[in-house]
Amino acid sequence: MSISTDMNKPEQLDLTKTTFHSISINYKSSCFSKLNNKSRMTASQQVIAIFLVTYVVAVSSGPSIVTYIFGDSLTEVGNNNYLQLSLAKSNFPYYGIDYKGGMATGRFTNGRTIGDIISEKLGIPSPPPFLSLSLNDDAILKGVNYASGGAGILNDTGIYFIQKLSFGDQIDNFNKTKEGMKQKIGSEAAEKLCSEAIFFIGIGSNDYVNNYLQPFLADGQQYTHDEFIGLLISTLGEQLTRLHQLGARKMVFHGLGPLGCIPSQRVKSKRGQCLKQVNEWVIQFNSRVQKLLDALNRNLYGAKLAFADTYSAVWDLIHNPTAYGFKISNTSCCNVDTSVGGLCLPNSKLCKNRTEYVFWDAFHPSDAANVVLANKFFSILFPEPHPPSPTPLPHY
C-alpha cells in the first residue's frame, strides 16, 4: 500500500431564556418555512433545520437537551479506565493537565474534548462514561457517553489494544441503557425520551489509523481500499439501523478530518508532509457516509440523520494555524515517541505554551484546538443569525 504526500488542499452561545425568547420565533418560523419548501433544500439541509428547531424549542421552553455520545478517543471521557486490560488509556499525566482539577480523567487531550465543549454550548453537563454508571442511576435519563479509545466501526479495529468498546459494543451498551430507562420510567416514556434525544456519533478514524494503515494487520493486506470502504459502509449502515430500532431518531454523524495530516501520519513522510492518499481515502469515506445517511433518512421511519462535515475546517486549522491564534500544527505539544504509540507518556517533555499547538499528542487535538473545532461543528448544526461568542479558554 503506497502512500504519497501532498500539501495542497483539493463561542459560547448565550443560553438564557431571555436571549432566546426574543429570537426563537424568528428561528422557528425560518426553519419551518424551509421545511415546508423542501424542493429548495437538500436532504442534509432539511435534517439540520430540524435539529435547529429542536434546539431552539428546548432552549426557549426550558427542558434540557439529552445527548448520547458514541465514538473513539476524540470523545471518550473515561470508559476505558474501567477496562482492566485495555492498552488504550489516558488516565495518567500529562493528560488532563488543563482540565478542571488538573487531573487525568481518561480524556485523550490536555483538557476538554469536542463533546465536552458542545455540551457547554448546549448548556448541559457533559454526559458521564457509561461504565461509571449503574442502570439504576437517574443519570441515564440525562445523557451518557459510550465512546472508547481505540474503537472503530469494525470489531477487529484496534485489536492490539486488547480491550476497547467497538461501535457495536457501544450500541449493545445503549441497549442496556434503554432497558434501564424502561425500568425507571416505563416503555412509552423511554421511547419518547430516545426519540427526542440527540445521538452524536464520531467513529471511523481508528478503522484507518489503527487498522487499514497498519502494515502488520490483515485488513490492509486483504482488501483493496474500495473493498475496505464497502465493508465499513455496509457495517455502519447495519449499526445505525440498529440504533434506530432501539429508538434513536435524531443522529449526527461527525465526518472524519484529514487523517493524513495528523502527526502520527506525517512522520511517515520523508519531509513531514500530509499523506495525500490517506486524505483522499478519508474524503471518499465521508462522501459514502453522506450517501448512506441520505438513504437511511429515506428508508427508516422518522429518521433524522445529519452529517457534520468538518474536513475543510480541520484542514484550514492545520494549514492556517495563525488565523486561529496557533503557531504550530505539524507536530504535537507533547514530545511523543510515535514508535511506541504516540501518546503523551508521564516522562514526555511538554511544550511551553499549550495554547500555541493544534495537536496535543500524535493523534489528538489540544483543548484550544477542540474549542475551535467544536465551534465549527456547532455552527454547522445550529446556525444562528449572529456569530457566537467564543467558548472561554481555561487558564493555563
Side-chain angles (χ1 to χ4, degrees):
M1 193 162 50
S2 176
I3 309 278
S4 61
T5 62
D6 186 13
M7 289 296 290
N8 297 321
K9 183 188 181 283
E11 74 196 280
Q12 184 160 13
L13 214 58
D14 187 348
L15 297 181
T16 62
K17 293 182 181 180
T18 303
T19 300
F20 276 90
H21 181 75
S22 61
I23 66 174
S24 61
I25 295 177
N26 292 332
Y27 264 4
K28 286 184 274 188
S29 61
S30 172
C31 293
F32 283 120
S33 174
K34 290 179 180 179
L35 289 172
N36 290 332
N37 195 357
K38 292 184 179 181
S39 62
R40 296 183 181 179
M41 299 180 68
T42 66
S44 179
Q45 287 172 328
Q46 293 171 26
V47 172
I48 288 174
I50 290 170
F51 277 101
L52 178 55
V53 172
T54 301
Y55 170 63
V56 171
V57 169
V59 172
S60 61
S61 61
S64 294
I65 294 175
V66 175
T67 62
Y68 295 98
I69 299 174
F70 301 77
D72 50 33
S73 56
L74 292 174
T75 49
E76 187 190 340
V77 294
N79 278 307
N80 286 11
N81 294 349
Y82 297 86
L83 301 178
Q84 184 176 2
L85 300 179
S86 178
L87 299 180
K89 291 183 180 180
S90 59
N91 58 344
F92 49 83
Y94 294 100
Y95 289 97
I97 189 172
D98 298 309
Y99 193 72
K100 54 189 176 184
M103 301 292 291
T105 61
R107 289 165 170 82
F108 286 78
T109 183
N110 58 308
R112 298 161 293 176
T113 68
I114 289 179
D116 290 328
I117 298 163
I118 291 292
S119 294
E120 289 177 23
K121 294 175 74 65
L122 290 173
I124 59 177
S126 186
F130 169 79
L131 293 180
S132 72
L133 301 172
S134 159
L135 294 180
N136 292 323
D137 288 341
D138 289 342
I140 66 172
L141 305 176
K142 300 175 182 178
V144 179
N145 187 312
Y146 302 90
S148 172
I153 295 168
L154 304 180
N155 287 333
D156 58 354
T157 286
I159 192 169
Y160 41 65
F161 295 130
I162 303 178
Q163 276 188 305
K164 39 76 187 175
L165 302 172
S166 69
F167 189 28
D169 294 330
Q170 293 175 39
I171 296 172
D172 288 341
N173 287 336
F174 174 70
N175 185 32
K176 296 174 184 176
T177 302
K178 180 76 177 293
E179 292 303 312
M181 291 181 198
K182 291 178 181 178
Q183 293 296 318
K184 293 185 74 66
I185 60 176
S187 296
E188 185 175 344
E191 293 297 336
K192 184 175 186 294
L193 189 157
C194 291
S195 69
E196 294 177 351
I198 299 179
F199 292 71
F200 288 103
I201 302 160
I203 201 81
S205 294
N206 285 316
D207 292 291
Y208 284 97
V209 175
N210 288 305
N211 189 340
Y212 193 69
L213 296 177
Q214 295 293 348
F216 54 85
L217 294 180
D219 284 357
Q221 309 300 320
Q222 179 179 353
Y223 299 111
T224 66
H225 184 254
D226 284 344
E227 292 169 339
F228 183 68
I229 200 171
L231 176 62
L232 290 179
I233 297 303
S234 63
T235 304
L236 180 61
E238 293 170 358
Q239 292 166 333
L240 295 177
T241 299
R242 185 168 177 232
L243 262 182
H244 178 270
Q245 291 169 343
L246 291 173
R249 292 296 180 266
K250 301 169 185 172
M251 296 181 242
V252 182
F253 191 96
H254 192 178
L256 303 187
L259 295 177
C261 294
I262 66 176
S264 73
Q265 299 304 302
R266 281 181 183 265
V267 297
K268 300 177 182 179
S269 162
K270 292 181 180 178
R271 292 185 294 169
Q273 295 175 305
C274 295
L275 302 187
K276 179 181 178 181
Q277 181 68 84
V278 173
N279 286 341
E280 289 177 347
W281 285 340
V282 167
I283 291 171
Q284 186 180 352
F285 172 83
N286 284 344
S287 176
R288 290 286 297 275
V289 172
Q290 289 183 68
K291 293 176 181 177
L292 170 66
L293 300 186
D294 287 343
L296 294 176
N297 279 330
R298 290 192 301 269
N299 296 318
L300 298 179
Y301 174 77
K304 303 175 183 68
L305 289 82
F307 183 81
D309 187 357
T310 57
Y311 182 98
S312 295
V314 178
W315 177 280
D316 192 54
L317 176 60
I318 291 172
H319 290 86
N320 300 294
T322 56
Y324 301 89
F326 297 93
K327 291 184 178 180
I328 301 171
S329 61
N330 62 339
T331 189
S332 58
C333 168
C334 184
N335 186 14
V336 300
D337 184 349
T338 55
S339 67
V340 291
L343 293 182
C344 188
L345 301 177
N347 61 349
S348 301
K349 183 178 179 180
L350 299 186
C351 62
K352 291 182 179 180
N353 192 339
R354 296 184 287 278
T355 63
E356 295 179 349
Y357 283 73
V358 170
F359 287 98
W360 165 248
D361 60 20
F363 305 97
H364 307 100
S366 64
D367 177 278
N370 278 334
V371 169
V372 173
L373 297 176
N375 285 337
K376 295 279 188 182
F377 181 89
F378 197 85
S379 67
I380 290 172
L381 289 176
F382 307 110
E384 57 175 340
H386 304 291
S389 55
T391 303
L393 289 171
H395 297 292
Y396 294 154

